[in-house]
Amino acid sequence: MDIAQLQAYGYFIMTAGLAIGLYAYIYHLYSRRKDADGVDYENYSNMALKDDIADTPVNATSSKKKK
Amino acid sequence: MNKNGPLEYDYSVSKLFIMNALFVGTIGMLIGVILAWQMAYPEFNTFLGEDLAEYTNFSRLRPLHTDSVIYGFVLSAVWASWYYVGQRVLKVSMAESKTLMFMGKLHFWLYFAASAVIVASLLMGITTSKEYAEFEWPIDLAITVVWLLWGAGIAGLVGYRREKSLYISVWYYIATFLAVAMLHLFNNMEIPTIIATSPAGETMIGAWWHSVSMYAGTNDALVQWWFGHNAVAFVLTTPIIAMIYYFLPKESGQAIYSYKLSLLSFWGLMFVYIWAGGHHLLYSTVPDWMQTMGSIFSVILILPSWGSAINMLLTMKGEWQQVASSPLIKFMVLGSTFYMFSTLEGPIQAIKSVNAIAHFTDWIIGHVHDGALGWVGFMVIAAIYHMAPRIFRREIYSRSLMNMQFWIQTLGVVLYFTSMWIAGITQGMMWRAHDEFGNLAYSFIDTVTVLHPYYTIRAVGGTLYLIGFVMFVYNIYKTTSAPRVEESDLQNASPMGA
C-alpha cells in the first residue's frame, strides 16, 4: 500500500468517524435531554435571560458562591 | 463602582471598545465609499490632488478599508460585546479582580496603539502584500500579544465564574480566540530580510521591518486562503453568532428556540468551516482533490450555518409583533436572514461550474458585502444599541432615527449586492465569450464600459449605508445625555425615546 492509498483510507475513516460522532452526539442530546449534572439543556437559555449578577445561576459552580 | 454598594457589572473596558468601533467604523466605511466612487469615476483617485495621489489611489486605500472594517470596527465591537456578555452569562464582574480589569484595559490600549501603527504603515505603503495579513513582522508580534491578552482575559473570567456551564456564546468566543491564534501564527510565518542571506551572498537586505513569507508559490497561496477564508469564519462569523445568541434572546425576552440545536450547530460549524478555504483557489495550481474538498465542505457548511440562523428566527416564534414594533429586533432578524442568504450564496459560488463564471468577478464582492453589511454590520449595530442603555443607564436617544437608519441601510445593502450580482455575472459571461475560432469576443475595457452603471449604483448603495452609520453614531452619542432609566427598565426590550 503506497502513501496515497494510506491517505485515502485515513481520510475516509476520519470523515466517517467524525460524521458518526456528530450523529451520535445529536442522538445523545435528544435522547438524554439532560447533561451530566442533571440540568435540562434547554434551561441553559436562562443564562442569558436571567443574567443579573444577583440572579440565581442555572448551574452554580459551588454552593458557596451561590447568590 | 461603589465599593460599599452591591456588586455590579463593570463595563468600562466594553465602553472603550464601543467608542473605538464607532470611530473606526465610520472611517473604514468612509474609505470604502471613496473606493466605490473611484471604481465608478477613476478621477477620484486623485481627489486630494496629484501631489497626494500616492496616498489617495485605490490600491493604497483598499487594504486600509478592509483591515479597518474587519480588525478595527468588527473586532472592537466583538471585544466590546465579550467584555459585556462574558461578565453577564458567567455572572462575575470585572470589578471583582483588579488583575482582570488591568488586563482588559491593557488589551484595549495596546490594541489601539497597534491599530495606529497599522494605519500609518499601510498609508505609507508598507505591506507584506498578503491579503488581510498585510502587516509586517513587528506588528504581527504586537498583534500576538494583544490576542494573548484577550485569551488570558477569557480564561480569567471563566476561572472566576459563578455559572458552572458556559453559555453557547462563550463557546463561540473561545472558538474565535483559538482559531484566530492558530491562523495568525501559521499564516504569518515570515523571515525578516535583514537576517536572511540571498543566494548571491548578500546580507542585511531591505528595511528592518521588511520580511518574506516562509512559504512560496502554491503553498503560500494555500496557507493564505486557509487563513483568509477562516478569517471570515472566525472574525466575521463565530463571534457574530456569539453576539446574536445573547442579544436576540435577551432583547426579545424569548428563550433560544432550541439550545440543543445551538450546541450541535456549533460543533458542525467548527468541523466543517476549517476545510472550506480551498474554494478560493478553484482552477488554480492547487491539487485537484483539494479544490474538490473545498467545494464539498463549502456546500456542507450550509447545514450548521442554517442551524444557527433558523434557531434565531424560530426564537421569535409567536413574538413576530416585536419585529414590527422594535427597530432593534429588526436589525437582528434581518441580520440573521442575511446570514442565511450569504451562507447559501457562498456555497453556490464554491461549486466548480458556478465558480468558473464567478471567480475574480464583482459577484464575489457582492457576496462579501451582503454578509458584511447585512449580517455582520447589522448585528454589531444591534449589539451596540442593546448595550448602550445598560452601559450609560440612559434610554436610546431616538427610536424614529433608528427606524430611519434601518430602512436607509437596508436599501443601501440591497442596491449594493444586486448591482454586484449583475455586474459580476455580466463580467464572467463577457470574459468567457468567444467566437467560433476561440478568439475572445471582448477585450477587458469592453467589460469596464458595460459595468460603469452598476459601479455607480454600488457607490450609491455604499453611501446610503454610510449615511445610516453616521445616524447610528449620532444616536449613540445623544444616548449618553438622554433621560436616565432605572435598572428595572433594562430587563429585556431596550428603552427608547421617541
Side-chain angles (χ1 to χ4, degrees), chain B residues 155-193:
Chain B
L157 265 190
V158 168
Y160 277 114
R161 75 192 189 279
R162 293 191 174 78
E163 189 70 80
K164 185 178 172 191
S165 297
L166 303 182
Y167 185 61
I168 185 67
S169 299
V170 179
W171 284 91
Y172 276 105
Y173 285 116
I174 292 173
T176 303
F177 167 73
L178 289 176
V180 175
M182 185 173 71
L183 296 167
H184 175 69
L185 288 179
F186 283 99
N187 189 43
N188 291 298
M189 292 281 178
E190 55 212 354
I191 310 281
T193 47

Side-chain angles (χ1 to χ4, degrees), chain A residues 11 18 25 29-30 37 41-42 44-45 47-53 55 57-61 65, chain B residues 7 9 88 91 160-165 167 246 249-250 256 258-260 263 267 271 293 297 491:
Chain A
Y11 178 65
L18 283 165
Y25 181 57
L29 283 177
Y30 282 88
D37 291 331
Y41 286 110
E42 298 307 324
Y44 284 123
S45 288
M47 283 194 271
L49 296 176
K50 294 175 185 161
D51 62 347
D52 281 338
I53 202 151
D55 283 338
V58 175
N59 185 12
T61 42
K65 280 188 183 173
Chain B
L7 186 59
Y9 294 123
R88 297 193 68 106
K91 291 197 177 65
Y160 277 114
R161 75 192 189 279
R162 293 191 174 78
E163 189 70 80
K164 185 178 172 191
S165 297
Y167 185 61
Y246 174 81
K250 186 68 183 169
I256 294 178
S258 167
Y259 196 83
K260 291 192 275 288
L263 293 176
W267 288 111
F271 170 56
M293 184 179 75
F297 274 90
Q491 266 309 311

